[in-house]
C-alpha cells in the first residue's frame, strides 16, 4: 500500500514528458521506457515462437496417439490369434471373424509375415476340428491371409499346409456341406494366388470338374436330383474352375474348350438361378479365351446355343421370382452379346484418384473372386495392396497428399448436374430399347 501511494504521488508531481518510474525491491525507482514498435516486434516473435512450439508439441502428441492406437490394434490382433486356440467354439469363431475383418480392411503384411505359420496352424486346426460356420470362417481367413502375403514363398508355404485339408474336406461326401462350399471357393482363390506349379493347377481344376459335372443334364435328357445346398457346392466349384481357367496356357485352353464347351450348355437348364448364371458367364469366358487363342474359332452348335441364351435373356416364366428373372436377363444379355459378337459391356471401378476398367470376362471373373472375400475393403486393396495392383496391372501404389486429394474433389453442385445428366441419358436409352426386350409376357 505504501508503494502504491508513493507511485500515485510521483505521477502527480513529475511532469508527463518524463518516463514513468517502477519501484523495485530495495526502494529504488527505475525509469521505464515507453512501449516502442521494436518491442512489439520482439513480443510478436516470441509469441510466434511459442505458437510454433505448441504446434510441434501437438504434432508430437498426434504421433504419440497414432502409435498408441497402432499398438492397441496390434494387441487386439494378438489376442485374436491366441483365441483361435481357445476351447470354446464361440470364442474361436469370434477370433476368426475379427482377423477376417482386420485383413479385409487394412494392409497388415509386416505384422502377418512374422506370424504366418502360427495363423496357418490355427486355420488348419479350425478346419479339421471345427464345425460348419467355424470351418467356413477359417477357409475365408486362409484366402485373406494369402491375399495379404501376396504371390511368393510366404504364401506358398501357407498354401502347402492348407491345400491337403481343403481337398480332403471338399471331396468328403460326409463332411459339413457349408464347409465344403467354403473350401470350394477358397481353394480356387488360394490356388490362383499361391500355387507355383501349373500342373498342380490343372490337378485342382480336375478336382472341381469332378463336382460340377454331376449337375450336367444327362444325354437322355434326365436331370440329376440334387438338393439346393449341393447345387450351391457345384456352383462354387464351377466358379473356382473358371477362375483358374484364366491362368491356363493356350494349349490347355484349347483342350478344355474341346472337352467342356459342348457339355456346359446343359447347365443352363438347371433349376437354380445361380447355377444358370455361373454357367452362362463361364461359357462367355470360354468363348473369349478360345477366340484370343484362335481368332478363327468356330463352335459347331453355335445357333442352338444362341437360341438358348436368347430364351434366358428374355425369360418370362411366372413360376420364377422377379428378382431372379431380372438378374438372369441382365447377365444373359451380356453373355449373348459375347457369344454372338465377341463384345463385353465394360465397367469402370473408381477408387481414390484412380480408375480401373473391367473390359473382359477374364478380368471380371478375377475381380469378382477377390471382391467376394475382401468385400467393402476392395477399393482400399486396389489402392494400397501391391499384389492386387499387380494382378490388375495398376502399377505401384500412388501416394497422394491430402491437399491434392481435396483439390480433385467435385463440388456438390457439379455432382448434382452430372447425376441429372446421367439420369436423363439413361432414361432415354432405356425407353429406346425397352420394346426390344420382349418382356411383355411377364405382365
Amino acid at each position: 500500500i505504501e508503494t502504491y501511494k508513493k507511485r500515485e504521488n510521483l505521477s502527480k508531481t513529475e511532469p508527463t514528458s518524463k518516463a514513468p518510474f517502477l519501484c523495485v525491491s530495495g526502494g529504488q525507482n527505475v525509469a521505464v521506457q515507453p512501449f516502442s514498435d521494436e518491442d512489439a516486434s520482439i513480443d510478436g516473435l516470441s509469441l510466434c515462437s511459442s505458437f510454433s512450439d505448441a504446434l510441434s508439441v501437438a504434432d508430437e502428441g498426434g504421433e504419440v496417439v497414432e502409435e498408441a492406437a497402432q499398438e492397441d490394434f496390434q494387441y487386439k490382433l494378438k489376442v485374436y490369434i491366441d483365441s483361435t486356440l481357445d476351447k470354446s467354439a464361440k470364442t474361436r469363431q469370434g477370433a476368426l471373424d475379427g482377423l477376417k475383418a482386420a485383413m479385409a480392411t487394412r494392409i497388415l503384411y509386416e505384422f502377418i509375415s512374422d506370424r504366418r505359420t502360427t495363423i496357418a496352424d490355427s486355420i488348419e486346426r479350425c478346419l479339421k476340428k471345427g464345425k460348419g460356420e467355424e470351418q467356413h470362417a477359417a477357409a475365408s481367413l486362409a484366402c485373406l491371409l494369402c491375399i495379404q502375403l501376396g504371390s511368393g514363398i510366404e504364401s506358398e508355404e501357407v498354401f502347402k499346409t492348407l491345400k491337403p485339408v481343403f481337398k480332403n474336406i471338399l471331396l468328403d461326401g460326409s463332411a459339413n456341406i457349408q464347409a465344403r462350399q467354403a473350401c470350394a471357393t477358397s481353394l480356387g482363390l488360394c490356388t490362383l494366388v499361391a500355387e507355383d506349379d501349373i500342373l498342380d493347377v490343372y490337378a485342382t481344376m480336375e478336382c472341381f470338374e469332378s463336382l460340377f459335372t454331376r449337375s450336367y443334364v444327362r444325354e437322355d435328357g434326365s436331370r440329376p436330383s440334387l438338393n439346393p445346398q449341393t447345387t450351391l457346392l457345384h456352383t462354387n466349384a464351377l466358379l473356382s474352375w473358371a477362375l483358374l481357367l484364366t491362368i491356363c496356357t493356350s494349349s490347355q485352353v484349347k483342350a478344355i474348350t474341346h472337352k467342356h464347351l459342348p457339355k456346359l450348355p446343359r447347365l443352363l437348364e438347371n433349376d437354380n438361378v445361380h447355377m444358370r448364371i455361373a454357367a452362362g458367364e463361364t461359357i462367355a469366358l470360354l468363348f473369349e479365351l478360345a477366340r484370343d487363342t484362335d481368332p478363327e474359332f468356330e463352335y459347331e452348335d453355335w445357333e442352338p446355343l444362341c437360341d438358348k441364351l436368347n430364351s434366358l435373356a428374355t425369360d418370362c416364366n411366372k413360376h420364377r421370382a422377379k428378382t431372379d428373372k431380372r438378374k438372369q436377363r441382365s447377365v444373359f444379355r451380356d453373355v449373348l452379346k459375347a457369344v454372338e459378337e465377341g463384345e463385353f459391356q465394360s465397367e469402370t471401378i473408381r477408387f481414390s484418384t484412380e480408375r480401373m476398367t473391367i473390359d473382359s470376362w477374364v478380368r471380371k471373373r478375377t475381380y469378382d473372386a477377390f471382391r467376394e472375400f475382401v468385400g467393402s475393403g476392395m477399393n482400399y486393396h486396389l489402392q494400397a495392396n501391391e499384389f492386387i495392383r499387380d494382378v490388375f496391372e495398376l502399377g505401384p501404389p500412388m501416394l497422394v497428399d491430402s491437399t491434392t486429394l481435396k483439390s480433385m474433389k467435385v463440388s456438390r453442385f457439379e455432382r448434382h448436374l452430372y447425376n441429372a445428366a446421367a439420369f436423363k441419358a439413361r432414361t432415354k436409352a432405356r425407353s429406346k430399347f425397352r420394346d426390344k426386350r420382349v418382356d411383355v409376357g411377364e405382365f
Side-chain angles (χ1 to χ4, degrees), residues 120-316:
D121 291 341
S122 298
I123 293 173
E124 182 181 7
R125 181 185 177 90
C126 293
L127 286 172
K128 289 181 176 179
K129 298 186 176 182
K131 295 181 180 179
E133 294 182 0
E134 182 180 346
Q135 291 176 304
H136 188 283
S140 300
L141 182 60
C143 281
L144 290 169
L145 179 60
C146 288
I147 291 173
Q148 289 280 344
L149 295 175
S151 181
I153 298 176
E154 297 172 338
S155 60
E156 290 174 8
E157 293 176 354
V158 171
F159 185 54
K160 285 180 181 178
T161 302
L162 299 177
K163 181 169 71 170
V165 184
F166 280 147
K167 287 192 173 183
N168 289 338
I169 296 175
L170 181 62
L171 299 178
D172 184 4
S174 61
N176 183 279
I177 191 64
Q178 292 182 356
R180 297 181 68 194
Q181 294 168 359
C183 288
T185 305
S186 299
L187 179 60
L189 186 61
C190 287
T191 302
L192 178 74
V193 176
E195 187 60 81
D196 59 343
D197 190 350
I198 191 64
L199 295 179
D200 290 336
V201 174
Y202 298 155
T204 303
M205 293 180 68
E206 291 177 357
C207 179
F208 290 136
E209 289 175 13
S210 66
L211 293 175
F212 72 78
T213 52
R214 299 176 186 176
S215 291
Y216 282 164
V217 175
R218 300 183 182 92
E219 294 182 358
D220 59 357
S222 61
R223 299 182 183 182
S225 178
L226 301 172
N227 59 58
Q229 292 297 325
T230 304
T231 302
L232 182 57
L233 169 64
H234 294 175
T235 302
N236 291 353
L238 176 61
L239 291 174
S240 293
W241 180 81
L243 177 65
L244 298 182
L245 184 63
T246 62
I247 59 174
C248 288
T249 60
S250 57
S251 59
Q252 188 68 13
V253 168
K254 288 182 179 180
I256 290 175
T257 303
H258 178 74
K259 178 181 178 181
H260 285 281
L261 191 55
K263 301 177 181 179
L264 276 173
R266 300 178 188 175
L267 294 177
L268 299 176
E269 302 175 15
N270 196 283
D271 294 333
N272 188 283
V273 64
H274 300 292
M275 174 59 86
R276 294 196 300 272
I277 290 175
E281 292 181 344
T282 303
I283 290 172
L285 176 64
L286 264 178
F287 267 88
E288 181 179 89
L289 292 173
R291 286 166 175 165
D292 289 342
T293 304
D294 182 12
E296 298 180 358
F297 169 77
E298 293 183 359
Y299 179 55
E300 294 181 357
D301 298 329
W302 183 79
E303 290 186 1
L305 176 61
C306 290
D307 293 339
K308 186 175 294 186
L309 294 175
N310 184 57
S311 64
L312 291 171
T314 58
D315 187 11
C316 301

Side-chain angles (χ1 to χ4, degrees), residues 410-421:
V410 182
S411 66
R412 179 179 295 182
F413 180 69
E414 292 176 344
R415 190 163 58 247
H416 172 72
L417 293 178
Y418 173 79
N419 291 336

Side-chain angles (χ1 to χ4, degrees), residues 14-21 31-32 34:
E14 296 294 330
T16 57
S17 59
K18 290 185 179 181
F21 286 90
V32 179

Side-chain angles (χ1 to χ4, degrees), residues 81-82 84-85 114-123:
I81 294 174
D82 294 338
T84 55
L85 304 176
D114 297 333
R115 300 169 177 83
R116 63 182 184 277
T117 304
T118 303
I119 299 175
D121 291 341
S122 298
I123 293 173

Side-chain angles (χ1 to χ4, degrees), residues 93-127:
Q93 177 74 33
L96 292 171
D97 291 338
L99 290 172
K100 282 172 51 182
M103 292 187 190
T105 55
R106 294 197 184 190
I107 303 298
L108 304 172
Y109 174 79
E110 295 181 359
F111 179 84
I112 290 175
S113 60
D114 297 333
R115 300 169 177 83
R116 63 182 184 277
T117 304
T118 303
I119 299 175
D121 291 341
S122 298
I123 293 173
E124 182 181 7
R125 181 185 177 90
C126 293
L127 286 172

Side-chain angles (χ1 to χ4, degrees), residues 314-326:
T314 58
D315 187 11
C316 301
N317 290 331
K318 294 183 178 180
H319 68 276
R320 291 176 181 166
K322 285 187 177 180
T323 54
D324 292 346
K325 285 188 288 186
R326 190 179 299 113

